[in-house]
Amino acid sequence: MSSALTTSTVTATDSAEPAIVFDRVGVSYGRGRKTTVALADFNLRVAAGETVALLGPSGSGKSTALKALAGFVRPTSGAVRLAGRDVTDLSPAKRGIGVVVQSYALFPHMRVHDNVAFGLKAHRVPRNEIGARVAEALEMVGMGAYGKRLPRELSGGQQQRVAIARALAIRPKVLLLDEPLAALDAQLRQSMLGELQQLRKALPDTAMLYVTHDQAEALALADRIAVMRDARLVDIDTARNLWQRPSTDFTAAFLGGANLLPCTVNHVAGTAALVTVGEHTLRAEAPAPGVARPDWVPNADARLCVRPHTVQVGPLTERDALRGTVVTSVWKGASTRLHLDVTGIPVQITADVQGHSELSPGDQVGVRFADPAGVLIPPGIGTDSAADQPEVRA
Ligand code: ADP
Ligand code: MG
């Protein structure tokens, strides 16, 4: 389909400029006392062929960012650009963006074929090409045989596939998806996630912005993840870097779940650190200083991010084990989540242990941290302060 994408709209700026640029975009809803700042000083660049996930809790401004790019809301400040072209004041239809939303938004009285053809007509695709383009788009999402159905004759997952086909039919260079799987049940969400990965491969030149509050979707699909909180972008990096070395408490907790143990940095050599947590000395990874991180200063306060699945829980008699008391135990199928009070550790510890744990509240256990126990997060970076830690511990 690459030849079809090479239309007359391609200009010399295309290769030099990112497919998507948010340039200090602000969006406020309402006026005066009732103003809601939904997006503040938002900067983001997405390259052609790249997938960026906008990940954040409900109300953090993700959909607003997407709508500002699609042209459904007008930024209060800043600009949005597509392949170098300022489109801030362009009507949505002229931006040539494919958009998929959670609620499918299919026309209920139109058959699948006509739903997909609708956007093509609006884009003035010649009438004799429409049939083939619709068929191609429906094929891409495995719905080739369903063109004559009405939306109500389809399952939720099938309807969402049609909505994706409709977005793809215009062969967009930019595809925006706003929580496209949120309305589907868990099992279907998993299989659709696999299909979206396939689709991603079939569209090597398309820039994708994928809005979700589900970290699993972001990890599965995104080249980079942009973490949002309270109308702001608080972190952006590859999924792996964000997960392995989060630079804020918020990212650590939101992406993967984390124990955030207050600690003091004793000693750092390269990326190896010794820290004091409560009454214990633990080994930790100290990420190399960078843009988002200061140098590590001895005696500085920091937080130790310990992933729940790395905490080992065994008999109290095990060597080097710290004494723990089970507070809660919740079986989750493949694993059991334990909350533990650990002697000499000032905060409760969350541990995920494999399988079904026979432990119950009050049981005494031996708790061991991995070596290194976790990764250090510097204080005062991003928007977090010690008094303002995220609640998210999922
Ligand atoms: P998200 O998609 O991350 O859940 P949104 O971008 O939808 O967040 O919303 C960000 C903030 O803007 C929220 O506080 C929300 O209540 C507010 N908001 C969104 N749309 C409107 C609107 N049309 N009018 C007023 N406030 C809005
Ligand atoms: Mg939203």
Side-chain angles (χ1 to χ4, degrees):
M1 62 185 297
S2 58
S3 64
L5 282 168
T6 318
T7 63
S8 58
T9 57
V10 176
T11 65
T13 56
D14 282 23
S15 55
E17 293 284 343
I20 299 170
V21 172
F22 288 88
D23 188 1
R24 310 203 65 169
V25 175
V27 177
S28 301
Y29 295 109
R31 293 181 178 193
R33 282 242 205 117
K34 288 193 177 153
T35 303
T36 306
V37 178
L39 202 60
D41 196 26
F42 184 76
N43 293 297
L44 178 66
R45 291 159 165 262
V46 184
E50 188 182 28
T51 305
V52 172
L54 280 187
L55 177 69
S58 176
S60 57
K62 307 179 298 293
S63 294
T64 299
L66 200 128
K67 286 176 187 161
L69 188 67
F72 305 146
V73 300
R74 172 76 174 79
T76 321
S77 57
V80 286
R81 292 195 289 274
L82 297 173
R85 181 181 180 208
D86 190 327
V87 297
T88 317
D89 290 309
L90 205 63
S91 72
K94 289 196 173 137
R95 299 187 188 198
I97 292 178
V99 184
V100 179
V101 296
Q102 176 183 342
S103 56
Y104 323 139
L106 298 175
F107 298 112
H109 59 286
M110 281 189 197
R111 300 196 179 273
V112 163
H113 178 284
D114 297 324
N115 262 285
V116 177
F118 185 83
L120 295 174
K121 288 176 190 152
H123 277 83
R124 294 175 196 277
V125 171
R127 199 177 273 257
N128 59 356
E129 284 179 29
I130 287 180
R133 290 273 290 266
V134 169
E136 177 195 82
L138 286 173
E139 257 339 296
M140 285 193 84
V141 296
M143 291 293 290
Y146 294 81
K148 294 217 171 79
R149 297 258 187 115
L150 287 165
R152 66 163 181 271
E153 295 165 346
L154 302 174
S155 71
Q158 289 171 331
Q159 289 184 47
Q160 189 57 297
R161 286 188 183 90
V162 173
I164 293 170
R166 184 177 55 185
L168 292 176
I170 61 163
R171 292 175 177 158
K173 291 189 169 166
V174 168
L175 184 60
L176 308 180
L177 301 117
D178 192 349
E179 314 234 13
L181 309 184
L184 307 176
D185 62 64
Q187 204 179 348
L188 190 54
R189 204 152 57 223
Q190 276 305 314
S191 64
M192 282 290 284
L193 204 48
E195 288 178 32
L196 285 175
Q197 285 175 326
Q198 297 294 322
L199 190 66
R200 167 71 281 186
K201 286 201 191 109
L203 301 166
D205 304 322
T206 306
M208 263 171 61
L209 197 54
Y210 188 96
V211 164
T212 181
H213 66 273
D214 180 347
Q215 51 128 352
E217 288 176 28
L219 289 171
L221 287 171
D223 299 307
R224 289 188 299 152
I225 297 176
V227 182
M228 302 224 22
R229 180 190 193 187
D230 297 341
R232 291 179 185 275
L233 193 156
V234 290
D235 234 335
I236 179 160
D237 207 335
T238 61
R240 182 178 288 231
N241 280 349
L242 282 188
W243 201 82
Q244 289 180 338
R245 294 177 198 88
S247 63
T248 65
D249 289 358
F250 186 76
T251 300
F254 202 77
L255 196 66
N259 293 289
L260 297 164
L261 312 183
C263 67
T264 309
V265 180
N266 304 343
H267 177 76
V268 179
T271 57
L274 274 185
V275 300
T276 301
V277 179
E279 297 163 13
H280 304 288
T281 301
L282 299 172
R283 258 197 274 272
E285 181 191 346
V291 200
R293 281 180 235 274
D295 219 339
W296 298 101
V297 186
N299 298 318
D301 291 331
R303 254 114 36 237
L304 181 62
C305 165
V306 176
R307 296 295 185 187
H309 73 275
T310 66
V311 179
Q312 294 155 40
V313 178
L316 192 49
T317 48
E318 252 170 49
R319 250 185 89 227
D320 303 334
L322 309 178
R323 175 187 290 272
T325 307
V326 176
V327 179
T328 61
S329 168
V330 179
W331 183 38
K332 297 178 138 197
S335 65
T336 301
R337 171 152 289 196
L338 302 171
H339 289 106
L340 305 157
D341 279 331
V342 180
T343 308
I345 302 274
V347 296
Q348 224 172 59
I349 297 292
T350 303
D352 287 335
V353 298
Q354 289 234 321
H356 183 269
S357 164
E358 300 298 329
L359 294 166
S360 0
D363 285 352
Q364 304 284 303
V365 291
V367 176
R368 282 166 33 196
F369 293 105
D371 185 16
V375 63
L376 285 179
I377 298 173
I381 298 294
T383 53
D384 293 309
S385 68
D388 179 29
Q389 299 210 352
E391 303 268 311
V392 195
R393 302 185 63 137

